[in-house]
Amino acid sequence: AGFDSDRYLQEQARAIMERVGKFGGRLYLEFGGKLCYDLHAARVLPGYDPRNKIKLLRMLDDVEIVYCVCAKDLQKGTVRQDLGLTYDNETLKTIDDLAEEGLRVSAVVITRFEGEAAAESFERKLRNLGERVFVQREMKGYPKNIDLVVSDRGFGRQTYVPVKGRIIIVTGAGGGSGKMAFCLSQIYHERRKGLDSGFAKFETFPIWNLPLDHPVNIAYEAATANLLDEIMVDPFHEAAYGVKAVNYNRDIENFAIMRNVFARMSQGDNSAGQYKSPTDMGVNTASKGIVDDGACRRAAEQEIIRRHFRYKEEFLKGLHPKRTVERMEEV
């Protein structure tokens, strides 16, 4: 095996608890990727247990889970490709899977709502199943119009979701599910109440302290070719620390805006606005689990080839536009 899951989990749990300690209140931890079964990680890091994130949650103290699903995805019938489930069914499956592990989703948040019928129907279904469900509306101008966003007309108008945990795990059905906007609106409300809450991101890929051209990081580009994600050196991190760190284009593009949002919310104190780079916002120790770099490189190269053929097949089925295939060719 190329990856030691036990070593990784110990390091990751320690890093998260250290991050919690930087804030006087609670930490909103945005969980990227697949929560219950991370099959991509298991393919590119031989020895990685697909259930590592579940194991990690069990190692943390005072954890609460919030699940976000975007109203736009519900309306479009967006499908999680690896399981073939629409996002409403993916949400229900995740709730059930976590319950079987003894972990309860405390609330489902339907984000970016603008009257979508599918979202209204799903909200009723969740309530009928006994779930706590909240709706947050589309925020025009997010995230660039900071004067609007960080005000009672922006985050202040969003529904506050009552939570009790010290660590709030915010996960969701796929990318663009509104996780970060939810976290920021919660922090805005709690800061109004005098609670020093903070934010961090937990994503396994790209691995920030592996080289830019490492096959494990390139495999992330392959996995997100449909999103046109591109990994690059984090210029904010290099400028602040003189250290090259790998991040991806969306986080880097949004960071200058996010830093201003954090700074506005923190009103000059040293908590939410203290991050100097998008890499700073992350808490990822995956490289500590790599015990055989060659094995991980070979596995990642095979994953890139697999993705190439998968995207071509799905393009012929009409599931992806030509640009996805072109992006995969570039990768």
Side-chain angles (χ1 to χ4, degrees), residues 31-38 50-54 57 65 67 80 90 94 98 105 169 171-172:
F31 255 51
K34 306 297 189 291
L35 177 57
C36 293
Y37 306 103
D38 194 337
R51 296 173 65 257
N52 269 345
K53 290 175 184 173
I54 296 291
L57 291 181
I65 303 170
Y67 195 93
R80 174 175 162 170
E90 161 71 0
T94 301
L98 288 170
V105 171
I169 303 297
T171 186

Side-chain angles (χ1 to χ4, degrees), residues 88-97 122 125-126 129:
D88 53 348
N89 290 323
E90 161 71 0
T91 301
L92 296 172
K93 177 175 170 40
T94 301
I95 291 171
D96 288 344
D97 288 346
F122 190 50
K125 184 173 186 176
L126 288 167
L129 290 170

Side-chain angles (χ1 to χ4, degrees), residues 267-284:
Q267 296 177 333
D269 71 24
N270 66 349
S271 52
Q274 71 184 161
Y275 295 130
K276 295 180 180 178
S277 73
T279 301
D280 268 353
M281 285 198 299
V283 51
N284 177 2

Side-chain angles (χ1 to χ4, degrees), residues 3 22 32 44 56 60 75 133 160 204 206 218 227 276 298:
F3 192 85
K22 292 182 180 295
V44 302
L56 177 63
L60 302 174
Q75 189 65 28
V133 56
Y160 176 73
T204 311
I218 302 299
L227 300 175
K276 295 180 180 178
R298 290 189 294 273

Side-chain angles (χ1 to χ4, degrees), residues 252-266:
I252 291 170
E253 289 162 5
N254 288 332
F255 180 70
I257 299 167
M258 289 297 109
R259 181 169 56 182
N260 290 336
V261 170
F262 286 138
R264 184 74 62 91
M265 285 203 297
S266 61

Side-chain angles (χ1 to χ4, degrees), residues 125-287:
K125 184 173 186 176
L126 288 167
R127 291 193 190 283
N128 292 343
L129 290 170
E131 301 296 336
R132 277 205 320 162
V133 56
F134 299 83
V135 176
Q136 291 199 339
R137 295 188 172 273
E138 178 80 308
M139 198 180 344
K140 301 298 184 185
Y142 174 85
K144 295 184 178 180
N145 187 345
I146 294 172
D147 288 336
L148 171 65
V149 168
V150 189
S151 77
D152 288 342
R153 295 174 296 129
F155 290 142
R157 289 186 63 189
Q158 297 288 33
T159 303
Y160 176 73
V161 177
V163 289
K164 297 178 181 177
R166 181 83 194 277
I167 305 172
I168 310 300
I169 303 297
V170 182
T171 186
S177 58
K179 299 186 293 291
M180 179 178 274
F182 166 75
C183 292
L184 296 178
S185 70
Q186 290 286 109
I187 292 170
Y188 177 86
H189 282 285
E190 291 179 359
R191 284 174 173 271
R192 294 286 301 274
K193 299 174 183 178
L195 188 64
D196 177 26
S197 299
F199 171 80
K201 293 186 73 167
F202 169 60
E203 292 177 307
T204 311
F205 305 105
I207 299 178
W208 68 275
N209 51 354
L210 288 185
L212 192 66
D213 60 354
H214 194 290
V216 168
N217 279 339
I218 302 299
Y220 167 81
E221 286 193 309
T224 57
N226 59 318
L227 300 175
L228 307 182
D229 275 1
E230 181 181 353
I231 59 170
M232 55 185 68
V233 171
D234 179 348
F236 296 98
H237 204 77
E238 191 169 19
Y241 305 105
V243 173
K244 281 185 165 55
V246 174
N247 214 299
Y248 66 105
N249 55 309
R250 285 183 290 143
D251 265 11
I252 291 170
E253 289 162 5
N254 288 332
F255 180 70
I257 299 167
M258 289 297 109
R259 181 169 56 182
N260 290 336
V261 170
F262 286 138
R264 184 74 62 91
M265 285 203 297
S266 61
Q267 296 177 333
D269 71 24
N270 66 349
S271 52
Q274 71 184 161
Y275 295 130
K276 295 180 180 178
S277 73
T279 301
D280 268 353
M281 285 198 299
V283 51
N284 177 2
T285 66
S287 66

